[in-house]
């Protein structure tokens, strides 16, 4: 990984770049709800290959994930080979024929994504797009690519540090321009391609990313399959809710559901909270060896429906009480989702948490549905809730009062 320590996130305005011409035309409208699919990185990292991507596509269909809404099959870093004398980037030996792979994924009724970056190298040290943006975008379109994750990485030392040493504002301007350049190149292909910024939330990307064509932008550095990291990322989403909406989403990073040593409760809580955040839902596990309980989490349609709600509102944290926090998400038709998360380790039933409905703007008893048991649930003012470590109580109230 080729990144330097966090730069100060200067608030810069780039009115000149925020031109209407960079906004998607109606023919290119994508990501009207948060993109759903799978990405190779979190589990396979550089071990991804053509066979593995085909297997993932097969499994998305066979597992019922496709029917539940998972559509994008995204190849992350390490597909890239060398550029030839004409600047054409070739795939490496793990991906003998990208067009044939894209055709295969499309034949399953799915879409395919790829990865690059604005520097000379990707984070994994493979060839990236600097100086070849139009050429690469054209090639992606010819292959039939539907999604591009564009990762800053070596652009930092290659361009930002070199061209503007000691001038953070100028470095950020270069970064904006680089993202705008690929945005334009993608647009010029005429193919609807989801454009996903991966620059770790620098310089308040949520403020300027959409105008440069971003359909999503990473809000933090990388996720990993550990509760503390997942929770730390969740905390950083607070306050970003106003930037999310149809076509442009905060991205708290890809899912770790089913990875590492996450407990069932942690997998459930992670998935619930990413759905509350209207986050892209990109599974990151080994689908061909998925345990039934992991599949059940990833395909819980009631939870997915929160994420995919057409209003596109991201949840807000309304209040917290020690280690327990309460988030709400407004849904279409006046409905409301409430998530009560026990983020800590040490709260026992001798000291249950009491739900304060008034703090949520609710008046008295509410009828809801517990989205993990699928059963009706009645919420009463000040009701005690015993939520075990790193678990969540997730309720949809169809008609809140
Ligand atoms: C990181 C990125 C990861 C993954 C990786 C590939 O910068 O945040 O999600 O794409 O690079 O090298």
């Amino acid at each position: 990984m080729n990144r330097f320590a966090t730069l100060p996130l200067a608030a810069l305005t780039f009115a000149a770049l925020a031109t209407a011409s960079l906004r998607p035309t109606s023919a290119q409208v994508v990501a009207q709800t948060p993109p759903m699919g799978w990405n190779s990185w979190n589990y396979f990292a550089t071990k991804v290959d053509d066979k593995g991507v085909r297997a993932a596509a097969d499994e998305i269909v066979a597992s019922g994930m496709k029917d539940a809404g998972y559509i994008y099959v995204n190849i992350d870093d390490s597909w890239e080979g060398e550029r030839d004398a004409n600047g054409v980037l070739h795939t490496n030996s793990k991906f003998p024929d990208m067009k044939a792979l894209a055709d295969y994924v499309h034949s399953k009724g799915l879409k395919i994504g790829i990865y690059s970056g604005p520097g000379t190298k990707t984070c994994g040290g493979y060839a990236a797009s600097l100086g070849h943006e139009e050429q690469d975008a054209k090639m992606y379109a010819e292959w039939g690519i539907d999604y591009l994750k564009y990762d800053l990485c070596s652009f930092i030392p290659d361009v930002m540090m070199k061209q503007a040493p000691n001038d953070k504002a100028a470095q950020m301007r270069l970064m904006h321009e680089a993202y705008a350049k690929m945005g334009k190149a993608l647009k010029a292909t005429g193919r609807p391609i989801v454009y996903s910024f991966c620059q770790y939330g620098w310089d308040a990307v949520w403020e300027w990313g959409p105008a440069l064509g971003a359909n999503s932008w990473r809000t933090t550095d990388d996720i990993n399959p550990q509760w503390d990291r997942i929770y730390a990322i969740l905390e950083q989403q607070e306050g970003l809710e106003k930037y999310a909406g149809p076509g442009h989403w905060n991205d708290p990073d890809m899912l770790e559901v089913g990875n590492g040593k996450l407990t069932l409760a942690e997998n459930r809580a992670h998935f619930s909270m990413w759905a509350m955040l209207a986050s892209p839902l990109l599974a990151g596990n080994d689908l061909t060896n998925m345990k039934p309980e992991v599949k059940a989490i990833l395909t819980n349609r009631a939870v997915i429906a929160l994420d995919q709600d057409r209003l596109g509102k991201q949840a807000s944290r309304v209040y917290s009480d020690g280690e327990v926090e309460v988030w709400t998400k407004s849904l279409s038709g006046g409905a409301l989702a409430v998530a009560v998360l026990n983020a800590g380790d040490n709260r026992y039933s001798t000291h249950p948490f009491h739900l304060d409905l008034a703090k949520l703007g609710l008046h008295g008893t509410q009828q809801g549905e517990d989205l993990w048991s699928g059963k009706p649930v009645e919420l009463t003012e000040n009701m005690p809730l015993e939520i075990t470590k790193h678990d969540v109580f997730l309720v949809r109230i169809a008609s809140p009062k």
Side-chain angles (χ1 to χ4, degrees):
M1 190 144 319
N2 196 1
R3 245 174 249 168
F4 61 34
T6 311
L7 289 168
L9 305 182
L12 302 172
T13 50
F14 281 81
L17 291 171
T19 55
S21 69
L22 289 169
R23 296 203 184 96
T25 62
S26 55
Q28 286 182 311
V29 166
V30 289
Q32 289 304 288
T33 59
M36 289 180 67
W38 174 85
N39 174 291
S40 57
W41 186 255
N42 282 355
Y43 184 83
F44 292 98
T46 56
K47 292 199 178 69
V48 64
D49 61 8
D50 176 284
K51 201 164 151 254
V53 173
R54 286 173 194 250
D58 292 347
E59 203 49 43
I60 286 175
V61 176
S63 62
M65 286 175 71
K66 178 186 167 200
D67 290 341
Y70 295 84
I71 293 299
Y72 291 96
V73 179
N74 291 353
I75 303 164
D76 208 278
D77 205 356
S78 85
W79 62 269
E80 311 89 336
E82 303 297 324
R83 285 193 193 276
D84 65 21
N86 297 319
V88 177
L89 179 59
H90 293 269
T91 53
N92 62 37
S93 59
K94 296 189 298 161
F95 290 90
D97 187 341
M98 198 60 94
K99 170 87 175 79
L101 178 56
D103 288 348
Y104 182 80
V105 170
H106 289 149
S107 76
K108 303 261 153 188
L110 300 169
K111 294 180 188 286
I112 187 163
I114 210 159
Y115 167 98
S116 188
T120 55
K121 296 265 186 269
T122 66
C123 280
Y126 296 82
S129 295
L130 185 66
H132 298 275
E133 293 81 358
E134 286 86 7
Q135 197 172 19
D136 286 358
K138 217 165 146 267
M139 180 175 73
Y140 302 150
E142 281 162 13
W143 284 343
I145 296 294
D146 306 295
Y147 187 118
L148 174 69
K149 172 175 169 183
Y150 208 49
D151 193 351
L152 191 62
C153 263
S154 82
F155 190 80
I156 303 162
D158 290 352
V159 177
M160 290 158 66
M161 302 286 274
K162 264 201 198 118
Q163 291 187 20
N166 310 318
D167 185 347
K168 300 295 183 204
Q171 289 175 3
M172 293 301 157
R173 263 194 307 272
L174 289 164
M175 176 179 71
H176 293 217
E177 283 160 14
Y179 276 89
K181 189 165 196 185
M182 183 50 99
K184 265 191 190 151
L186 292 174
K187 189 169 176 244
T189 70
R191 185 174 175 85
I193 297 176
V194 173
Y195 189 23
S196 156
F197 287 22
C198 179
Q199 49 77 280
Y200 337 115
W202 285 9
D203 201 26
V205 57
W206 35 86
E207 289 177 1
W208 51 268
L212 304 193
N215 297 116
S216 68
W217 49 86
R218 279 271 298 278
T219 53
T220 68
D221 217 319
D222 292 14
I223 197 167
N224 63 48
Q226 288 181 32
W227 177 256
D228 287 354
R229 182 65 194 140
I230 290 167
Y231 181 63
I233 290 179
L234 172 67
E235 295 299 280
Q236 290 178 65
Q237 308 315 305
E238 200 180 3
L240 300 185
E241 46 270 40
K242 71 173 186 218
Y243 300 101
H248 50 94
W249 309 99
N250 290 304
D251 174 8
D253 208 353
M254 305 167 298
L255 294 167
E256 292 283 13
V257 174
N259 283 343
K261 294 198 170 94
L262 292 175
T263 65
L264 213 51
E266 289 168 344
N267 281 316
R268 196 165 37 227
H270 171 30
F271 193 64
S272 300
M273 295 315 296
W274 263 230
M276 289 290 284
L277 293 171
S279 158
L281 294 181
L282 297 172
N285 55 325
D286 177 7
L287 300 180
T288 53
N289 290 302
M290 177 162 53
K291 292 192 178 135
E293 57 270 29
V294 168
K295 179 164 94 178
I297 290 173
L298 287 172
T299 56
N300 182 321
R301 292 193 184 214
V303 179
I304 292 171
L306 299 185
D307 181 77
Q308 296 289 301
D309 185 83
R310 63 183 162 76
L311 274 191
K313 296 274 186 217
Q314 177 173 323
S316 304
R317 186 167 71 170
V318 184
Y319 77 100
S320 58
D321 173 6
E323 298 172 312
V324 181
E325 39 194 77
V326 187
W327 295 66
T328 61
K329 181 185 200 294
S330 301
L331 301 167
S332 51
L336 185 76
V338 179
V340 186
L341 177 72
N342 180 358
D345 299 337
N346 298 318
R347 191 152 190 153
Y348 299 102
S349 52
T350 50
H351 174 216
F353 167 81
H354 291 265
L355 182 61
D356 189 338
L357 293 178
K359 278 197 177 138
L360 309 183
L362 299 170
H363 307 286
T365 303
Q366 308 287 323
Q367 306 304 326
E369 184 193 349
D370 175 335
L371 300 186
W372 286 109
S373 73
K375 298 202 173 115
V377 63
E378 191 171 74
L379 303 184
T380 54
E381 183 55 272
N382 219 27
M383 73 191 284
L385 287 174
E386 283 175 32
I387 300 168
T388 52
K389 167 181 165 176
H390 307 171
D391 209 344
V392 69
F393 176 54
L394 186 63
V395 176
R396 180 177 186 278
I397 306 171
S399 307
K401 294 176 283 183

